[in-house]
Amino acid sequence: MSGAISTAAYLARRAAQKERVQILYRRALKDTLNWAVHRHLFYKDADDLRLRFEANKHVTDLDAIDRMIDEAEATYNKWRHPDPYIVPWAPGGSKFCRNPTPPEGIEIAYDFGKEDND
């Protein structure tokens, strides 16, 4: 019975590690776009990032994987872009909520200037 518990715990820990690595890779890849302005520069940096992640793909020791993830997260936080690019219409962008909806009671005349002059 204890073998089943340790196997379940092992699988749960591996799943958590896999999720942390995927999240870290996505964040680092998106942050690479902030540093590399042009796409031809981004592609090279993205390939280098992918090679860094794939270099440690063979590691199976759970404690070593946790240490490597912690080190990678610390490195990511250290080198994160100080002023990341935000799409203008996304929250935090320059155009977000630029034209809010009018308050209640305000009516907009869509046919202004086109009224019937009877």
Side-chain angles (χ1 to χ4, degrees):
M1 187 70 176
S2 65
I5 293 173
S6 65
T7 302
Y10 172 80
L11 292 175
R13 190 169 172 192
R14 287 289 291 174
Q17 288 174 339
K18 182 178 178 181
E19 184 178 4
R20 283 178 67 194
V21 169
Q22 288 174 341
I23 290 170
L24 178 64
Y25 179 72
R26 279 191 213 120
R27 276 198 262 149
L29 193 60
K30 287 179 183 179
D31 198 52
T32 302
L33 262 175
N34 294 326
W35 289 104
V37 180
H38 302 288
R39 284 291 174 161
H40 67 280
L41 299 173
F42 166 73
Y43 292 140
K44 182 184 180 322
D45 292 345
D47 286 340
D48 293 342
L49 179 67
R50 183 67 182 196
L51 290 175
R52 289 180 66 186
F53 272 80
E54 295 224 353
N56 300 314
K57 193 175 185 178
H58 66 282
V59 179
T60 57
D61 181 27
L62 294 180
D63 295 328
I65 293 172
D66 281 335
R67 279 194 308 277
M68 290 167 41
I69 292 172
D70 290 338
E71 291 171 5
E73 286 175 343
T75 303
Y76 169 72
N77 288 330
K78 179 181 177 184
W79 293 105
R80 220 162 73 185
H81 199 281
D83 188 22
Y85 177 76
I86 301 172
V87 180
W89 51 86
S94 60
K95 290 185 178 180
F96 185 69
C97 288
R98 182 176 283 180
N99 298 317
T101 56
E104 291 289 325
I106 303 289
E107 293 184 18
I108 299 174
Y110 291 106
D111 61 346
F112 183 76
K114 299 178 186 174
E115 302 90 7
D116 290 336
N117 292 329
D118 292 331

